[in-house]
Amino acid sequence: MMNAVTTYYLEMTSASMLNAKTESNGLEITECRIKQFEFNRFLYQMVGQQWEWTDKLAWSDDQWKEFAENDNLRTWVGYYQGTPAGYFELQKQAGEVIELAYFGLIPDFIGMGFGGYLLSQAIKKAWEWGKPEKVWVHTCTLDHPNALQNYQARGFEIFRTETRNHPVTSP
């Protein structure tokens, strides 16, 4: 069985477009300065399991290491009371473009008011990394129902949409 999935591609072309949420609600954000691909894989699985993030599940250790320990990728984790609550990864691409490659909260921390602040910090860190021409992200209808709204509330604008058939997985 197939289900239509719409993907939204959003961008910011200036740091001044950021409409930051400044209240952290106790979330502390730390960059992972010592790269450990196993930690990136853990975060990807913890956050993405409920949103059908499957593109990297079959990756080997070597593939994870090449992705996560590359100089063009930086990872930040949001901690609440010492526990990982969410994360984001920024990936520098050709032409001084920064992609917000992965972003999300661990299920137990959804609904605690962390999403807007974590996203604001991700965007801020992206604009501080070199001199980007733009920052972009994509989300889809499989993601959290408020994901697109959060991206737009922070200042991202849609520049492209795609709808494709996606296999429905059994619970």
Side-chain angles (χ1 to χ4, degrees), residues 10 19 119 147-158:
L10 302 102
N19 178 26
L119 181 56
L148 180 60
Q149 177 185 347
N150 191 19
Y151 290 125
Q152 291 177 309
R154 302 288 73 79
F156 278 106
E157 296 177 346
I158 295 172

Side-chain angles (χ1 to χ4, degrees), residues 44 52-59 63-64 67 101-102 138:
Y44 174 87
E52 295 190 46
W53 291 4
T54 58
D55 56 322
K56 291 180 175 54
L57 290 179
W59 275 17
Q63 288 172 300
W64 270 103
F67 170 76
Y102 288 94
H138 71 275

Side-chain angles (χ1 to χ4, degrees), residues 36-48:
Q36 297 174 306
F37 74 89
E38 299 93 341
F39 191 48
N40 289 71
R41 179 169 45 202
F42 164 79
L43 293 167
Y44 174 87
Q45 291 172 336
M46 279 292 283
V47 170

